[in-house]
Amino acid sequence: MPDTTYHYQVMRRALDIIDRDDGALLSLDELANEMQMSPSHFQRVFSQWVGVSPKRYQQYLTLGHAKALLQDRFTVLETSNITGLSGTSRLHDLFVKWEAMSPGDYARRGEGLTIRYGWFDSPFGRALAMGTEKGLCGLAFAAETGEASTMADMQSRWPKAEYREDKGFLEQWVAATFGQQGQTALHLLGAPFQIKVWEALLSIPTGQVTTYSEIANAVGSPKAVRAVGTAVGRNPVSWLIPCHRAMRKSGGLGGYHWGLPVKRAMLAYEAARAEA
């Protein structure tokens, strides 16, 4: 697999340059010069990472792209096929099976639960994966928050669990998640309302977005938009449960627990690969 973490760091630096210039479209030579890289190397890194040219990718990274997504690729969750989690409805040729922890088990805050964890390279920087014998229960990104803070954040969700570093235990699920093939399993550790929101997120097709209010309607709580936003932000399995596809009704990105640059990168990555 290419050095995807390195590729993300290159993209992240380019994003800062694009933002600095108010979204002005830079030529390949201009952007490569800002990055202190040769045009050919910069082009190659981007092509390996996302499959499109830097010029095309810049268009996906601009802040205005969020509003365009909401206008052109908005999905109404009530009409989404809840079971359509494979094939053309997802970025990956990936089947996701999931099981939720019972409310009683969740209330015990992980007591008696063994959670294995490991650090992996991903298209969005260093990723922390966590899992139980039933599947992945956590996937977090440290590019903006740092590894120590990311680990502390995830462990605080289930403070009474026992944590064991065991990268090998998780490798197959992580490979399926980022390798665009295979099968992965999820073990959702959350309160009942949170799990309903996360299930709704799973039904958003790749390359499309929805709003927090639409999610609230889909889970039967149309007035609970703020609670939905909180549940989206507490999604423990980012990327695989696509909380990055939830946006404000205005077209603004809204928040993202692991940093807005990561959210923008995910949306751009999906849009670019969907059209490549």
Side-chain angles (χ1 to χ4, degrees):
M1 179 182 293
D3 188 349
T4 51
T5 294
Y6 165 69
H7 292 173
Y8 174 77
Q9 293 303 326
V10 171
M11 185 283 306
R12 180 65 178 87
R13 288 165 54 205
L15 189 151
D16 287 339
I17 294 169
I18 294 166
D19 284 351
R20 184 199 64 197
D21 291 338
D22 296 322
L25 190 63
L26 301 175
S27 70
L28 174 61
D29 287 344
E30 289 172 328
L31 194 50
N33 183 62
E34 290 274 7
M35 298 289 294
Q36 299 183 331
M37 300 169 68
S38 70
S40 60
H41 179 55
F42 184 63
Q43 175 101 348
R44 183 167 60 254
V45 168
F46 263 70
S47 296
Q48 288 176 339
W49 187 73
V50 77
V52 297
S53 69
K55 179 179 179 180
R56 184 63 170 156
Y57 188 61
Q58 282 184 76
Q59 296 170 351
Y60 291 120
L61 283 176
T62 58
L63 291 173
H65 179 61
K67 292 185 178 180
L69 273 177
L70 198 58
Q71 179 178 351
D72 299 334
R73 300 186 182 186
F74 174 67
T75 179
V76 179
L77 287 177
E78 286 87 341
T79 63
S80 294
N81 182 355
I82 300 300
T83 61
L85 300 179
S86 59
T88 58
S89 67
R90 293 187 61 82
L91 172 65
H92 311 301
D93 180 15
L94 178 71
F95 180 76
V96 180
K97 63 177 183 178
W98 64 272
E99 179 178 341
M101 174 178 280
S102 71
D105 288 338
Y106 173 72
R108 287 191 282 273
R109 306 176 71 192
E111 185 176 4
L113 190 67
T114 298
I115 295 178
R116 293 173 170 84
Y117 70 90
W119 288 97
F120 296 83
D121 289 338
S122 85
F124 313 106
R126 292 286 283 171
L128 172 64
M130 292 182 166
T132 71
E133 72 282 355
K134 296 181 179 179
L136 289 176
C137 65
L139 189 61
F141 297 92
E144 303 297 319
T145 58
E147 291 188 9
S149 178
T150 300
M151 173 66 81
D153 183 309
M154 295 299 289
Q155 288 181 323
S156 71
R157 299 165 189 247
W158 315 293
K160 295 185 178 181
E162 177 185 353
Y163 291 89
R164 297 179 185 173
E165 186 170 7
D166 190 348
K167 186 175 180 179
F169 177 81
L170 303 159
E171 281 181 334
Q172 184 174 354
W173 290 327
V174 173
T177 298
F178 295 122
Q180 303 175 36
Q181 61 183 353
Q183 183 179 83
T184 194
L186 296 180
H187 187 196
L188 302 188
L189 310 182
F193 181 78
Q194 291 176 321
I195 289 171
K196 287 174 65 176
V197 170
W198 301 339
E199 182 182 10
L201 290 170
L202 278 168
S203 72
I204 305 171
T206 297
Q208 297 192 29
V209 295
T210 193
T211 64
Y212 298 107
S213 57
E214 283 292 334
I215 297 172
N217 287 330
V219 301
S221 302
K223 296 182 179 180
V225 177
R226 181 171 295 182
V228 163
T230 299
V232 170
R234 294 296 291 173
N235 165 30
V237 194
S238 295
W239 177 246
L240 197 51
I241 297 177
C243 53
H244 59 279
R245 297 178 194 157
M247 301 170 62
R248 293 175 179 164
K249 188 179 292 186
S250 65
L253 285 178
Y256 191 65
H257 194 79
W258 306 115
L260 281 179
V262 176
K263 182 174 186 173
R264 287 173 61 192
M266 288 178 172
L267 289 169
Y269 185 90
E270 287 189 329
R273 292 177 71 87
E275 294 188 6

